[in-house]
Amino acid sequence: MGRQQENRLTVETAARVQAAVAAHAEATGQGRYAVERELKRVVRHPEPDAG
């Protein structure tokens, strides 16, 4: 279960994540929503380790 579902995600942590998403989007020339969508996809459906 994720921190958000457990109510352990603080406002400060959420703000830091949003700032990092916005910074990455700007640095790579992508839209913030596209970066956030991809982040959510990877977190929810991680690729299995190749090991």
Side-chain angles (χ1 to χ4, degrees):
M1 183 176 288
R3 286 184 180 194
Q4 186 174 14
Q5 292 173 331
E6 295 174 354
N7 292 322
R8 295 187 325 174
L9 182 64
T10 65
V11 173
E12 181 181 331
T13 302
R16 286 181 180 178
V17 170
Q18 287 299 313
V21 166
H24 179 77
E26 185 176 337
T28 60
Q30 299 180 67
R32 183 176 61 84
Y33 294 111
V35 171
E36 188 171 320
R37 183 176 56 240
E38 180 63 10
L39 174 62
K40 286 179 183 179
R41 184 193 68 76
V42 170
V43 168
R44 291 176 180 163
H45 307 285
E47 294 182 16
D49 289 337

